[in-house]
Amino acid sequence: MKLQRKNRLRALSLGAIAVTGALALTACGSDDNGGGKASGNASGSANASSVKCDGAKGQLLADGSSAQKNAIDAWVKAFSQACGVQINYKGGGSGAGVTSFNQGQLAFAGSDSALKPEDVTASKKVCSGGQGIDLPMVGGPIALGYNVPGVDNLVLDAPTIAKIFDSKIKNWNDPAIAKLNPKAKLPDLKIQAFHRSEDSGTTDNFTKYLIATTPGNWKYSGGKAWQAQGGQAASGSAGVAQGVKQNSGAIGYFELSYAKDMTTVSIATGAKTPVKPSVASATADIAAAKIVGTGKDLSLKLDYATKAENAYPITLVTYEIVCDKGNKSDTLPATKAFLRYIASEDGQKALSSIDYAPIPDEIIAKVRTTIEGLS
């Protein structure tokens, strides 16, 4: 009898704890009536304490840039915990994101390249009374990760990088590479240069760097589609990074957060010291960016040919693409709430800890103002 009574009391105690926990989750995790804040740290890096749900509910479908996916995943974890909104971000590449957005399939898209005039024109069909605009939200370096046994501090310059990715330099002990790395023991090993298989804003920014710095060695027009000859193709930044890790002699380009457990190239820019990709070195370059968009569009012009000390030249800025007017009424509250959070001080602070560069204060302030005016 004593044992039965003891078990019954234990069950009642556990039930009370469960009810208390459920009530706490209801109070903190749901804010459909708006105005509330949720506290806590959802991901260890993306802080949910500044999330204002403001009536956000339901689900959001988004797609686009794979370069920003690690940042989006951290933000989504924090936001979903606070507001109970499910956000499905596919990360299928910038080209796929823009296409799906202009077909009316997404609440927002991510792209590492600003909308082209034809994209803006197409967006007017789904943005009733408005158009698609670019909101810069994530910055970062495009790292060149490599897998060359015995070589830990590889230095390359723009002409050499162009020749490697255009299959003009085929071996790691090529004289052009040896000249930049006199102390390195470069092996007689075939180079396997990995590039993106699908339309990619990372490709667009990487090739913009080559066009700006060494047009004589990179005679392609550029854009999201890979145009050079040869090499190995892989899907997404994750696919390119995986290809480099798995193949001796490989090199590829991807956002720095995908370069974990991998050696990266230092770029000889003309500054006193070759520059390694890092949050700080990318921030130094992005800080010089200029807003070139018109109206509510906040697209930026980056300086790929920088020679400033400690400024990494191969950088990108990922834009979140939304309608300035004519967003769908059923997804607008959640879209604005999510964008408001990721543009907030806490949202931007989360970026540095996961190898992304926050958007400079002057620019992100304009992003915040623009988000409040979305309709």
Side-chain angles (χ1 to χ4, degrees):
M1 290 294 290
K2 287 184 179 180
L3 181 60
Q4 289 177 343
R5 186 171 181 271
K6 184 177 180 181
N7 287 340
R8 204 172 98 190
L9 288 172
R10 184 172 180 272
L12 288 170
S13 177
L14 289 173
I17 291 170
V19 171
T20 302
L23 289 172
L25 286 172
T26 301
C28 295
S30 177
D31 193 16
D32 289 349
N33 292 324
K37 291 186 180 181
S39 61
N41 192 321
S43 67
S45 57
N47 195 327
S49 64
S50 67
V51 177
K52 295 181 180 180
C53 299
D54 289 339
K57 58 184 178 180
Q59 300 181 357
L60 294 180
L61 181 61
D63 193 7
S65 165
S66 68
Q68 73 164 357
K69 191 173 189 307
N70 291 335
I72 290 286
D73 286 348
W75 282 330
V76 165
K77 188 174 182 180
F79 183 79
S80 296
Q81 177 176 303
C83 302
V85 175
Q86 180 181 345
I87 300 177
N88 181 3
Y89 183 82
K90 294 181 179 180
S94 298
V98 172
T99 297
S100 295
F101 178 81
N102 282 339
Q103 292 174 345
Q105 299 174 6
L106 308 176
F108 69 91
S111 177
D112 307 322
S113 299
L115 293 169
K116 295 181 178 179
E118 57 267 31
D119 297 325
V120 174
T121 298
S123 73
K124 293 179 180 180
K125 297 178 182 179
V126 296
C127 300
S128 180
Q131 65 180 50
I133 57 172
D134 301 287
L135 301 178
M137 203 71 75
V138 183
I142 300 174
L144 295 175
Y146 66 96
N147 180 355
V148 182
V151 180
D152 298 324
N153 296 294
L154 186 68
V155 175
L156 297 175
D157 59 10
T160 308
I161 293 168
K163 291 174 185 177
I164 287 172
F165 281 89
D166 199 23
S167 301
K168 301 290 175 56
I169 292 179
K170 301 179 183 296
N171 269 51
W172 281 109
N173 62 350
D174 187 275
I177 301 176
K179 185 177 180 180
L180 291 164
N181 299 272
K183 296 182 180 180
K185 295 182 179 179
L186 298 168
D188 183 7
L189 177 66
K190 182 181 177 182
I191 295 173
Q192 297 188 64
F194 278 80
H195 60 265
R196 294 282 287 275
S197 59
E198 79 284 12
D199 284 2
S200 159
T202 309
T203 294
D204 191 14
N205 284 274
F206 176 55
T207 55
K208 280 179 180 176
Y209 160 74
L210 296 175
I211 292 168
T213 54
T214 184
N217 293 298
W218 195 262
K219 299 182 178 181
Y220 303 98
S221 61
K224 294 177 182 177
W226 186 255
Q227 297 172 323
Q229 303 301 308
Q232 306 288 331
S235 177
S237 293
V240 174
Q242 192 68 16
V244 173
K245 288 181 180 180
Q246 293 179 345
N247 292 276
S248 181
I251 185 172
Y253 58 90
F254 31 78
E255 206 280 329
L256 183 61
S257 67
Y258 292 91
K260 301 293 187 184
D261 304 319
M262 194 184 307
T263 45
T264 56
V265 172
S266 295
I267 307 295
T269 63
K272 293 179 181 178
T273 307
V275 186
K276 199 82 170 172
S278 69
V279 170
S281 63
T283 299
D285 185 52
I286 295 171
K290 305 295 184 185
I291 296 176
V292 294
T294 58
K296 293 184 178 180
D297 186 89
L298 298 175
S299 55
L300 304 176
K301 182 178 181 180
L302 299 170
D303 184 6
Y304 298 101
T306 182
K307 295 182 181 179
E309 296 297 326
N310 303 314
Y312 187 77
I314 319 178
T315 57
L316 60 76
V317 168
T318 294
Y319 303 94
E320 310 313 330
I321 296 169
V322 289
C323 298
D324 58 354
K325 298 178 182 177
N327 290 279
K328 294 180 180 178
S329 59
D330 57 337
T331 59
L332 179 60
T335 300
K336 287 182 71 170
F338 181 65
L339 294 178
R340 183 184 295 118
Y341 165 61
I342 68 179
S344 72
E345 185 176 349
D346 275 4
Q348 288 291 300
K349 276 183 178 178
L351 292 174
S352 297
S353 64
I354 48 176
D355 295 324
Y356 291 94
I359 300 301
D361 290 344
E362 182 180 346
I363 297 171
I364 201 68
K366 294 180 180 180
V367 171
R368 292 167 186 156
T369 299
T370 302
I371 290 170
E372 296 309 318
L374 298 178
S375 63

